[in-house]
Structure formats: structure tokens, C-alpha cells
Amino acid sequence: MKEPILHPVWIPFPRDGELCKVSSLPLTALKQLARPCEANEFKPPVKSKKIVTPGQTKGRLMIQTASLLAWFETQESEVGA
């Protein structure tokens, strides 16, 4: 029996020029999925939030892994077409 693949609950947005370690998508694609914008009619299909350390003004944008993987499941497969 195969062991389930475990992922963290939240993952950070990749830095500019890097790919997401879970989805292999670039930062621009993830922003279109997780941040309100015209591309997603201001209703992001992937959950995200900003984590700010107390006393700091800047924070780190995080993506909910389960919502990202659920979004992938809604996409039609192009493999073998």
C-alpha cells in the first residue's frame, strides 16, 4: 500500500524568479490564483493570507496547500491529448 503524500498546510509564495515547490507554478500564476484580480474576477479560487510578525510592517504571503491542490483537481487534463 502506498504511503500518502504529506504537504504542509500553508506554503509561502515563491520568490520572484522561483517556482512553487508544490505546484511548479511561477509567482505570477500563483498571484492570479490566490489574490483578487481581473483574471479571477476578484474571486480568488485559492486561499491565501499574509503572516506578519508582531512589530513588523512587512509579512510573508502564504497559500493554503489544500485549496491549491483542489484547484488543480478542477482543471481539465491535457496529458495525452
Side-chain angles (χ1 to χ4, degrees):
M1 183 172 180
K2 281 188 171 181
E3 290 292 320
I5 298 172
L6 300 176
H7 295 286
V9 176
W10 294 91
I11 56 171
F13 274 77
R15 304 233 183 255
D16 198 26
E18 294 179 355
L19 299 177
C20 173
K21 294 183 187 325
V22 172
S23 68
S24 297
L25 292 173
L27 175 63
T28 53
L30 288 172
K31 280 185 176 179
Q32 287 183 343
L33 290 172
R35 307 301 292 170
C37 64
E38 272 188 55
N40 60 34
E41 298 177 355
F42 299 96
K43 297 175 186 168
V46 175
K47 294 179 183 177
S48 68
K49 65 179 168 180
K50 186 176 182 179
I51 305 296
V52 181
T53 304
Q56 299 292 316
T57 55
K58 293 184 177 182
R60 187 83 162 122
L61 290 173
M62 305 294 283
I63 302 167
Q64 187 185 52
T65 308
S67 68
L68 178 60
L69 295 174
W71 175 83
F72 268 105
E73 291 297 321
T74 67
Q75 303 306 298
E76 290 190 30
S77 176
E78 299 277 329
V79 178

